[in-house]
Each structure stands twice: as C-alpha cells, then as structure tokens.
Amino acid sequence: MSRALTVKSVFKVPALKIASRHLSTCATYFPGEPGAPVIKTSSVPGPISQQLNDKLGHVFDNRATYFLTDYYNSIGNYISDADGNLMLDVYAQISSIPLGYNNPELIKTAKSDEMTNALINRPALACFPSTDYSKILSEGILAAAPKGMSRVWTALAGSDANETAYKAAFMYQHTKRRGASDFSAEELESVMDNKVPGASDMVILSFDKSFHGRLFGSLSTTRSKAIHKLDIPAFNWPKAPFPSLKYPLDQFEAENRQEEDKCLSEFETIIKNYNGKVAAIIVEPVQSEGGDNHATPYFFQQLRNITKENDVLMIVDEVQTGVGASGKFWAHEHFDLPSPPDMVTFSKKFQAAGFYFSSADLQPKQPYRQFNTWCGDPSKALIARTIYTEVAKHGLVESTSRVGDYLYGKLEALSEKYPIGNLRGQNFGTFIAWDCKDADQRAHLLGALRNKGINIGGCGDYSIRLRPPLVFEQKHADILVGALEAVYAEL
Amino acid sequence: MSRALTVKSVFKVPALKIASRHLSTCATYFPGEPGAPVIKTSSVPGPISQQLNDKLGHVFDNRATYFLTDYYNSIGNYISDADGNLMLDVYAQISSIPLGYNNPELIKTAKSDEMTNALINRPALACFPSTDYSKILSEGILAAAPKGMSRVWTALAGSDANETAYKAAFMYQHTKRRGASDFSAEELESVMDNKVPGASDMVILSFDKSFHGRLFGSLSTTRSKAIHKLDIPAFNWPKAPFPSLKYPLDQFEAENRQEEDKCLSEFETIIKNYNGKVAAIIVEPVQSEGGDNHATPYFFQQLRNITKENDVLMIVDEVQTGVGASGKFWAHEHFDLPSPPDMVTFSKKFQAAGFYFSSADLQPKQPYRQFNTWCGDPSKALIARTIYTEVAKHGLVESTSRVGDYLYGKLEALSEKYPIGNLRGQNFGTFIAWDCKDADQRAHLLGALRNKGINIGGCGDYSIRLRPPLVFEQKHADILVGALEAVYAEL
C-alpha cells in the first residue's frame, strides 16, 4: 500500500515506472497506486483538516474548502487529505490534473533546467520571447491544436482565455467594418471616455446556463447561477436558450430535435435583431458548471452554419471539456462541424491557458492591441507539452473513451435500480453526469461518497459530475461504481 | 567575462556566491556578472534574433518583440539576446525580475520539492488548499503586506488582481446597502439578464492617464492610450483628472499645489454627483504606463480623506510600483496616508498576483462569490516568498533607495547639459523617468541605447522610464549614465 509514499519516495526515487506502450485495458499507468481508498477518520474532513482550515481562514477566504490536501502523499487517481485519508479523486481539482497526482513525467519536467529557467526568468513574452518559445509551443500546445487551428494566443486562466478571445473578435469585426480607413479622430477621443464610436457597442452572445468565467467580460457571458453574478456590473449582452434534452436520448429523438430547432430559431432571431452587432457567440461543447447540459451534433452544426451566414464569429469554450476527458482530445470533435470554429479556448487540464485560431485577421493589424506584460507563462507551456506528449504516447484519450464506455454501462445498469436521473455522457469518455432528486439529496450523496473514499463534485442545481483524470482505468471505475451502489442503497 | 555562463554553469555549478550580509555600496550581489555590456552585432536586434522572430511569428503574435532572448545566458542585471549581445537591463521585463536573471536563490526554490509539488499538482485553491498554503502565504506574500493589511486574495496577473478587487468593492457596497436582507427575487432574476437591480449600476472611478490592465473591467478603468482601448466595449465609468506637476518640484510648489487642489476638487465633485454610486476609486502611486506621472503625498492624503468621508473604497494599484523599486517596499508608504487604503493590488515583481485587504467585510459573506478554479498559483507564491526573503535579508529596498539617489543626482547633472526634460523620481529609488522632445526622439534614443548595450523602455507619449531590478548597484548606474551621456552627445 502506498502510505509509504512520502515526499522522498515520490520525488527522489525513480520507482514509478511507466509502460511505454499504449495502455491496454489491463495495463496500469500508476503501478504504485493503492488498491482502494483508505479512510482513517469517521468523516471527511477530519480533525486535522478542520484545524488547518481554521488557521488558513485568518489570511485567506476558505469557506469553499472541501478538505486540506496533502499533495505530497497524493498519487495517481488518489488524493490524500491532511488526516491521511486517501480518496479516489473523480473531481480532480475541478476537471484539471490530467495525468494524476505526482506524475513521474511531470516530476521530470518540473525538475528540468528548462523549467527552472522559465520560472526564475519570467519573460514579458510579447516583448522578450525566449529563443525556444516557438519550439516549446510547437511541440506542446500547438501540436494539440484542433483541426484548422494554426496559431495560439497564450493567457493565464480560462477567464482571460475567453476575454482575450472576445477582444480578438471585437477588434476583428470593427477592423473589417472600418476597411482601409484609419481610426477616426472621434474614435480616438471618445474611447478615452469609454464611449462609442471608439468603444464598441457590439456584443458577445452566450447561452442560458453557460459558464465562461468570472471577470467582468466573461462574467457578462456567464449565465449559470445568480450567486456568480450578483452585485457585479455586467454588459448588456444577450443570451440565447440552450436546449434541454430529454433522456434517454434514443427514446426522445423527435422531441429533442424539436427542442433544438426551437432554440436555433430563437438564436437566429437574436442575431438578426442585433443587426450586425453580434461580434461572436461563445458556446461550451457541454455546459459543465451549468449542469452538464449536452446538445446533439446537429445543434452545433447549425450554430456553425448560422454564424457563418451572419458573419458572426464562433468561439468554442473548451476550458472544461478540452484535453481528452470526452474521449476525443477536443470535445467539439464529436460534432463533425461543417467548418472549424473561429476560436477555441482552453485552460484547466492543460494548466496553460489561451485560445487557438487560424485566421491571421484575428491577430490585430497593429501591435500592442492584444498585449499585456506576461502574455502567458512559459512554465505552464512546458507542463502542457509534457501533458500532450504523455497523452499521445499512452493513448490516454482512447483509454478514456474505452473506460468511459465501460463506466457508462455500469451506471446505466445502476440507474435501473436507483434514482440516477437523466444519465448523460454516453460515448463521451468519462465526461458523465446525472441528476439527483434535489440539491439536498446531492449534498447528502456527495458527503456520503467522500466518507467512503470518493472525492466527487456537483454541477448545476442538483447534478453530480464525473471529472476523473485521463489515467482513470476500469479498476477505478469499479471502485466508483461500488461506492455509488452502496450510498444509493443506503438512501 | 561571462560568455562562459552556459546552461550548465548557471544551473548546475554553485559558483555564484552571495554575501549573506546587507549590501554595502561596494558589495556586489552578483559576483559573476560581466563588467560591462558586450555588443557583438552592428545593431540590436541582430540577425539570429530576427530570424527566430520570423519563425515565432508563424504561431504567435510577435510584432512587439524587442529581441529574442537567451535567458540561459542572462545573469543578474544583464540580459542576453539570441545573438550573444549582453545588455544592461533597466527595463527588466516591464518592471518585473526583482532579483536579476538566474538568481541562485530562485534556482534553489525552482529545484525544490515544494516547487515540484506545486507545479505538478496544481490545486483548485479555494476547494482543496494544500496543508502548507497558509504557511507559504504567511512567510512570503503576507509577510510583505503593507501596514494595516492582514489578508490576501491571490490571483494570476495584475489585471485580475485589480478586477477581483473591484468585485470585492462592489459586493461590499451592495451588501452594506442591503443590510440584513437577503437577495430579493427581483435581484436574483434580473442578474441573469445582466440587468439591475441584480447586476450593479455602481462604478469604479479611475484617473486620466491611468493604467490598470486590459481585461474588460480593468480596461474600463485604464485611460492611458487609445490603442489600448479601441474597439473594445467599456463600462460607462467616470474618470477624474490627475495632476500634471511642473518640474523641478521645488521651483513650482505653489503652482503644483494649485493644480492638485483643482484635481481634488473635480474628483470630489464627481463622487458627489454620482450620489453614492462610486463603489471604489483606483489609483497608482505613480502612473507608470501613462508616463510616470507623480503627485505629491498631499494629493494622496486628500484622496484618502475624501474617499473616507464619502464611504468610497480606495484601491491602490501597486502592480508596477510595488516590491521595492521606489525605495520603499510599497510606493504608497511614501505618502504617510491618514489611514491605510482599503485594498492594495500587486503582481509583476512579486510574480504572484492578488490584492491585500484588512476588513473582513471585503470577504463576501457567502462562499463561491469571490471564487474561481485556481484562485492563484502556489508555484508563484513560492517564488514570491523567496523574493521577499532575499529582499529583506540583503536590504535590497534600502540599497535601491541609495542607488536611486545616486543615479538621480547623476541624471540631474546630465540634464543641465542635455535635453532631459522633467526629470522625475527624486527620493523615489530607481523609479526614475524623464521626457524626450517627442516620440521620434524617444524611439531614436531607445534604439541608440540598445545598440550601446542598454535595454531600456518608454512610457507615456514621449517619456523614458527606468525599471532596473532591485540588484541594480552604483556600478550599473555609472554604466547607464555613461551610455546616456554618449547617446545624448550624439543627438
């Protein structure tokens, strides 16, 4: 058992060997992992965690803490808390941690001279890029780029990935309208007072229940929950309805098509009514924070058609869905779009953040328009490169697809016996969710699961979402399903 | 000479020894530094830099590139480009890099197990903080907190440090007005449409020529240059005039007081006219990007008095001025304010970003309001801790104050002979700037200086700003002054 995994053993001893071939369903990525969760306290969080959290509260907002985490003793799919409880982690830092905790390849990257160089000499990337930045991007973030995307703008988190994409959209649309003309005197003057015509009166159109971040521009497009938005000024930007599909999908094909057509029609009406003022739309392949709301490929294909016809840019927010969890590297690859999106944003599982694009026109004509001091972080680009390399080398997207199908089947069987409502994510890797009766039942279930050694999270008003690492295997799925069966049986 | 400083020598051999006492004016922090710049190409950027930049341009926006940088061969105050030119760097990644390039103590931090752990197991800090996060914050970022500030909210860059501070201000003001009441049904509903009363109609008041970032909220308070703002939607928030002082200050005391009083009066009028709708003001101790515009301590004292009287929060943006360059750790410590600001934001030289505050009321009552996935980055908090420790141990703020006074004296003498206009930054460490005749002259001077081995930057419309690391010593000042004298003599 892995309780011997101390700092020393994890960081210093190259004991964790990884098979250099694709994982078969039997192979295991983390041979050093424990065979099952280990729960030592009567409930989670335990007393040490609570004591440390009280201390943290004196200096940092800690009201959302699940438990204080011992990252040194976490390994692979298992997260350790301060009390020595070792839990199977199917939440993974809100859908981050693609390669599991204390991944040996990431340890190598972290210990490398390249990383040291990136950390201690942090560049202002747009002014003083390092001689090797092009290579680092090309081998990592760009090697992973979705089809049709050849360039990247690097940022620091999902929110600013989206906001810089919005800025690119606004600049693109206004530049196109301005044609060969330079900025007018009136534009140059009015913009300093935050007024049109220098400031834009165009809008970003987002969807009901979407989540795109919490800074002022991104929060204006976020429509998930009131508590995310209350008391904060917001742009008067529109929202379109997102389909509410009925499950199981194969039993409600006609109704769901009707629902999607209704939403598409409203979507198109909003764009027409805005009369050329919608600069871009932003859409998640699956609305994650908002409750794991899926739509069919048809819906996304039509979004692409309508935006193309109306000269509106399409931004796909893959902050939570990207980097493999859906069983494809990018979730929008499930949709067989008639043409690629204009921009695709990423963060979370890639640790690095930013947006992909292809059109050179999305790079403003003048320098210093899309600009800031850091413009990303080479240390995160190095992490992203290792993540991409490992994912490709070990076929982790394919194994996630396979394990996801296995897990979905088990959950579908469970749902015959227990109140597992609207099971979602078939053929969508481990990106799986379902509904509880209500928020109280969900809170009970999440707590009960944690006490049984499963760290798991919710989304929307009463859904449970699965967000395990890409190194989640069939044996982990079996442990999860066993725990779920136990807590549902006790309901 | 230091061309032997290869990756190997910098990272692997502990050859760089540092005196463990405070630096005297003769002691040197980086014994391995070259004695002078080394310029190998006829101009900067040289051919290799240009070739690599062309390549980078295929994947990344590179139009603002000065030169491609060889960070492995940069050391202390000297930055190396791809062609092997070694320049004295008084720009330091736009006012970052406090301890110089390849600082041995930062190498130790980067190579530590703590850093590896932070890099490869990146937490969602508000949900799963590490057992040692409180300690890391307390020994670093919080040990450096300005007077009266006991808490911190960590972010990722200056822009989101400011935006999260704005959010804290809006939530604070609305919560106060709401009193014991809960959110109303109308608030909960309207906010989902980005409308009042759920969304806020309060404003942030900033100053003409200020720079506070480039995301949508921060950009709405930025008033530096049109090119930063054009084509981007902005909130209809007000701006107040910032004083234009006349130099030398001791010759224009009466005029400057009159100018500041005029600005203060307009400032107060705006606040009164907004009738309780100004949630907060944000102000830089020195408007940096906007042209190194200073105001006197009197001006800032009055801002604090007026904001207190009108129940408006005061946010001091120390993103560029903070962490020692002004000759005090926080530049607003020069002002002897009647009471501390409500929030102080930081980033750049600390590598970590965020805002300090003291009032527990600036932490929203409900969790998940000030929240995001990462809520900062422990790897940057570790870097910040080492920066703080080194700065304190070696008295780098005091030495910056001393070296700044020496440098200011030399520049004052030069300004008798050459057109060095409105020299600014007396008794303000190395945070020094002056005006050129116009933008063309500045471009010529910056280019000529670079060709003589000085990497230097501008600000405002025609100013040159000095932003060397905190390990900039008298000998470096002499090299800079020599180069300046040479390029001005050739004008």
Side-chain angles (χ1 to χ4, degrees):
Chain A
M1 237 299 296
S2 80
R3 297 305 301 150
L5 277 168
T6 61
V7 180
K8 203 180 154 203
S9 67
V10 174
F11 288 101
K12 303 268 174 66
V13 184
L16 304 170
K17 290 226 179 72
I18 294 175
S20 67
R21 59 200 163 71
H22 280 213
L23 292 175
S24 77
T25 32
C26 321
T28 192
Y29 187 91
F30 267 100
E33 274 189 333
V38 182
I39 293 297
K40 299 183 166 181
T41 57
S42 57
S43 66
V44 177
I48 301 174
S49 205
Q50 292 186 34
Q51 195 186 332
L52 286 171
N53 199 36
D54 288 345
K55 203 175 157 194
L56 180 63
H58 293 295
V59 297
F60 192 73
D61 188 343
N62 68 337
R63 275 99 35 91
T65 301
Y66 283 50
F67 48 77
L68 274 279
T69 307
D70 180 350
Y71 289 100
Y72 290 100
N73 279 311
S74 301
I75 178 164
N77 293 273
Y78 287 85
I79 187 169
S80 171
D81 73 2
D83 293 87
N85 297 306
L86 205 54
M87 287 164 269
L88 181 68
D89 192 0
V90 296
Y91 198 29
Q93 309 302 321
I94 319 182
S95 201
S96 304
I97 310 288
L99 303 181
Y101 296 103
N102 287 309
N103 182 286
E105 289 303 313
L106 285 176
I107 293 176
K108 275 191 217 159
T109 299
K111 294 284 186 200
S112 70
D113 288 344
E114 267 183 311
M115 179 59 80
T116 298
N117 183 40
L119 283 172
I120 69 175
N121 305 311
R122 187 169 184 185
L125 272 170
C127 291
F128 305 99
S130 66
T131 48
D132 53 0
Y133 195 52
S134 171
K135 183 170 185 287
I136 293 167
L137 288 179
S138 299
E139 291 175 356
I141 290 173
L142 276 163
K147 197 181 143 194
M149 308 263 144
S150 55
R151 288 158 184 261
V152 70
W153 177 257
T154 45
L156 297 175
S159 280
D160 63 309
N162 285 336
E163 295 212 355
T164 49
Y166 300 171
K167 288 181 70 172
F170 286 118
M171 291 189 276
Y172 167 87
Q173 296 286 13
H174 283 282
T175 302
K176 208 164 124 183
R177 280 152 183 71
R178 198 174 282 118
S181 317
D182 207 350
F183 303 113
S184 70
E186 198 190 352
E187 285 173 328
L188 291 166
E189 200 183 317
S190 59
V191 77
M192 300 311 290
D193 291 319
N194 292 358
K195 298 220 157 66
V196 291
S200 175
D201 60 354
M202 295 188 82
V203 303
I204 305 289
L205 173 58
S206 62
F207 289 89
D208 195 25
K209 299 187 290 272
S210 63
F211 184 91
H212 303 294
R214 289 166 163 260
L215 299 169
F216 286 80
S218 48
L219 189 62
S220 293
T221 54
T222 285
R223 312 284 183 159
S224 43
K225 291 178 187 146
I227 197 73
H228 299 155
K229 292 169 70 74
L230 282 158
D231 297 341
I232 311 298
F235 290 109
N236 187 19
W237 292 349
K239 67 175 177 190
F242 193 83
S244 287
L245 300 189
K246 288 189 176 163
Y247 292 84
L249 293 177
D250 55 6
Q251 289 175 34
F252 293 98
E253 271 187 30
E255 288 90 335
N256 287 337
R257 174 60 64 97
Q258 203 174 9
E259 164 73 1
E260 291 194 330
D261 279 335
K262 191 176 131 257
C263 291
L264 288 164
S265 164
E266 278 196 52
F267 171 79
E268 192 167 10
T269 301
I270 293 169
I271 287 181
K272 300 278 190 209
N273 287 347
Y274 265 82
N275 200 15
K277 298 273 190 197
V278 178
I281 69 156
I282 182 158
V283 65
E284 297 156 275
V286 180
Q287 293 188 326
S288 308
E289 180 64 29
D292 269 34
N293 309 313
H294 290 250
T296 71
Y298 166 77
F299 180 76
F300 290 96
Q301 290 159 10
Q302 293 307 312
L303 289 185
R304 178 70 287 195
N305 288 334
I306 296 168
T307 50
K308 276 276 186 201
E309 283 159 20
N310 290 277
D311 203 8
V312 168
L313 298 173
M314 181 177 182
I315 305 169
V316 175
D317 178 342
E318 292 254 22
V319 168
Q320 185 150 170
T321 53
V323 192
S326 76
K328 294 194 185 282
F329 200 94
W330 301 104
H332 76 270
E333 292 169 359
H334 285 277
F335 302 148
D336 194 21
L337 296 179
S339 63
D342 297 290
M343 289 176 266
V344 174
T345 62
F346 60 93
S347 178
K348 285 181 175 277
K349 276 203 177 56
F350 240 178
Q351 306 288 297
F355 69 89
Y356 293 109
F357 61 106
S358 54
S359 166
D361 292 340
L362 284 167
Q363 189 166 285
K365 265 186 210 165
Q366 304 85 349
Y368 293 106
R369 296 191 73 187
Q370 189 78 281
F371 183 85
N372 57 67
T373 295
W374 285 330
C375 297
D377 185 340
S379 73
K380 304 302 180 195
L382 290 169
I383 298 266
R385 182 173 68 178
T386 300
I387 289 167
Y388 174 72
T389 307
E390 280 295 287
V391 167
K393 184 174 167 189
H394 297 280
L396 295 179
V397 176
E398 296 75 9
S399 76
T400 296
S401 172
R402 210 163 45 232
V403 173
D405 289 350
Y406 174 81
L407 175 59
Y408 186 91
K410 293 278 181 185
L411 293 170
E412 202 172 28
L414 269 195
S415 72
E416 312 269 310
K417 281 175 71 181
Y418 300 111
I420 288 178
N422 294 331
L423 185 62
R424 310 192 277 289
Q426 190 168 24
N427 302 320
F428 219 80
T430 54
F431 212 94
I432 293 171
W434 64 90
D435 290 346
C436 304
K437 196 183 67 180
D438 53 29
D440 285 345
Q441 190 191 60
R442 176 176 67 183
H444 166 79
L445 286 167
L446 295 179
L449 282 163
R450 213 164 290 126
N451 293 338
K452 288 203 187 300
I454 309 288
N455 185 43
I456 187 166
C459 63
D461 293 326
Y462 43 74
S463 298
I464 291 178
R465 61 177 149 178
L466 301 184
R467 297 290 184 273
L470 306 181
V471 296
F472 185 82
E473 298 168 16
Q474 189 171 317
K475 64 182 180 186
H476 306 113
D478 288 332
I479 292 169
L480 169 64
V481 169
L484 280 170
E485 174 134 37
V487 297
Y488 270 104
E490 287 164 12
L491 256 188
Chain B
M1 237 299 297
S2 81
R3 297 306 302 151
L5 279 168
T6 61
V7 180
K8 205 180 153 202
S9 68
V10 174
F11 287 100
K12 303 267 173 68
V13 184
L16 303 170
K17 290 227 178 70
I18 294 174
S20 67
R21 60 200 158 71
H22 281 210
L23 292 175
S24 76
T25 33
C26 322
T28 192
Y29 188 92
F30 266 100
E33 273 189 333
V38 182
I39 293 297
K40 299 183 166 180
T41 57
S42 57
S43 66
V44 178
I48 301 174
S49 204
Q50 292 186 34
Q51 194 186 332
L52 287 171
N53 199 37
D54 288 346
K55 202 173 159 195
L56 181 63
H58 293 294
V59 297
F60 192 71
D61 188 345
N62 68 338
R63 275 98 37 90
T65 301
Y66 283 51
F67 49 77
L68 275 279
T69 307
D70 181 350
Y71 289 100
Y72 290 100
N73 279 309
S74 301
I75 178 165
N77 292 272
Y78 288 85
I79 186 168
S80 172
D81 73 3
D83 292 271
N85 297 305
L86 205 55
M87 287 164 270
L88 181 68
D89 192 0
V90 296
Y91 197 29
Q93 309 302 320
I94 319 182
S95 202
S96 304
I97 310 289
L99 303 180
Y101 295 104
N102 287 308
N103 181 287
E105 289 302 314
L106 286 176
I107 293 176
K108 275 191 217 161
T109 300
K111 293 284 187 201
S112 70
D113 288 345
E114 267 183 311
M115 179 59 79
T116 298
N117 183 41
L119 283 172
I120 69 175
N121 304 313
R122 188 171 183 183
L125 272 170
C127 291
F128 305 98
S130 65
T131 48
D132 51 2
Y133 195 52
S134 170
K135 184 171 184 285
I136 292 166
L137 287 179
S138 298
E139 292 175 354
I141 289 172
L142 275 162
K147 198 180 142 192
M149 308 263 144
S150 56
R151 286 158 184 261
V152 70
W153 177 257
T154 46
L156 296 175
S159 280
D160 63 309
N162 285 335
E163 296 212 355
T164 49
Y166 299 171
K167 287 181 71 172
F170 286 118
M171 291 190 275
Y172 167 88
Q173 297 285 12
H174 283 282
T175 302
K176 209 164 122 183
R177 280 153 184 71
R178 198 174 282 118
S181 316
D182 206 349
F183 302 113
S184 70
E186 199 190 350
E187 285 173 329
L188 291 167
E189 199 183 319
S190 58
V191 77
M192 299 312 289
D193 291 319
N194 293 358
K195 298 221 159 66
V196 291
S200 174
D201 59 354
M202 294 187 82
V203 303
I204 304 289
L205 172 58
S206 62
F207 289 90
D208 194 26
K209 299 189 290 274
S210 64
F211 185 91
H212 302 293
R214 287 165 164 261
L215 300 169
F216 286 81
S218 48
L219 190 61
S220 293
T221 53
T222 285
R223 312 283 183 159
S224 44
K225 290 177 189 149
I227 197 73
H228 299 154
K229 291 169 72 74
L230 281 158
D231 297 341
I232 310 298
F235 289 109
N236 187 19
W237 292 348
K239 68 176 176 188
F242 193 82
S244 287
L245 300 188
K246 288 189 177 164
Y247 292 84
L249 294 177
D250 55 6
Q251 288 174 33
F252 293 98
E253 271 187 30
E255 288 91 334
N256 287 338
R257 174 59 64 97
Q258 205 176 6
E259 164 73 2
E260 292 193 330
D261 279 334
K262 191 177 131 256
C263 291
L264 288 165
S265 165
E266 278 196 52
F267 171 78
E268 193 167 8
T269 301
I270 293 168
I271 287 181
K272 300 280 189 206
N273 286 347
Y274 264 82
N275 201 14
K277 297 273 189 197
V278 178
I281 68 157
I282 182 159
V283 64
E284 298 157 275
V286 180
Q287 291 188 326
S288 307
E289 180 64 28
D292 268 36
N293 309 313
H294 290 250
T296 71
Y298 165 79
F299 179 76
F300 290 96
Q301 290 159 11
Q302 293 307 311
L303 290 185
R304 179 68 289 197
N305 287 334
I306 296 167
T307 50
K308 276 276 185 199
E309 283 158 19
N310 290 277
D311 203 8
V312 167
L313 297 173
M314 181 177 182
I315 305 169
V316 175
D317 177 342
E318 292 254 21
V319 168
Q320 184 151 170
T321 53
V323 191
S326 76
K328 294 192 185 284
F329 200 95
W330 300 104
H332 76 271
E333 291 169 359
H334 284 278
F335 302 149
D336 195 20
L337 295 179
S339 62
D342 296 291
M343 289 176 265
V344 174
T345 63
F346 61 92
S347 178
K348 287 185 176 272
K349 277 204 176 55
F350 239 176
Q351 306 287 298
F355 68 91
Y356 292 109
F357 61 107
S358 54
S359 167
D361 291 340
L362 284 168
Q363 189 166 283
K365 265 186 210 166
Q366 303 85 350
Y368 293 106
R369 297 190 71 188
Q370 189 80 278
F371 182 85
N372 58 67
T373 295
W374 285 329
C375 298
D377 185 340
S379 73
K380 303 302 179 194
L382 289 170
I383 298 267
R385 182 173 69 177
T386 300
I387 288 167
Y388 174 71
T389 307
E390 280 295 287
V391 166
K393 184 174 167 190
H394 297 280
L396 295 180
V397 176
E398 296 76 8
S399 76
T400 295
S401 172
R402 212 162 43 231
V403 173
D405 289 349
Y406 173 82
L407 175 60
Y408 185 91
K410 292 279 181 185
L411 293 170
E412 201 173 26
L414 269 195
S415 73
E416 312 268 311
K417 280 175 71 179
Y418 300 110
I420 288 177
N422 294 331
L423 184 63
R424 311 191 278 288
Q426 189 168 23
N427 302 319
F428 219 79
T430 55
F431 212 94
I432 293 171
W434 64 90
D435 289 347
C436 304
K437 196 183 67 181
D438 53 29
D440 287 345
Q441 189 192 60
R442 176 176 67 183
H444 165 79
L445 286 166
L446 295 178
L449 282 162
R450 215 165 286 126
N451 292 338
K452 287 200 186 305
I454 309 288
N455 185 42
I456 186 166
C459 64
D461 293 324
Y462 42 73
S463 298
I464 291 177
R465 62 177 149 179
L466 302 184
R467 295 293 184 273
L470 305 181
V471 297
F472 185 81
E473 297 167 16
Q474 190 172 318
K475 64 182 180 187
H476 305 114
D478 288 332
I479 292 169
L480 169 63
V481 169
L484 280 170
E485 175 136 33
V487 297
Y488 270 104
E490 287 164 13
L491 258 190

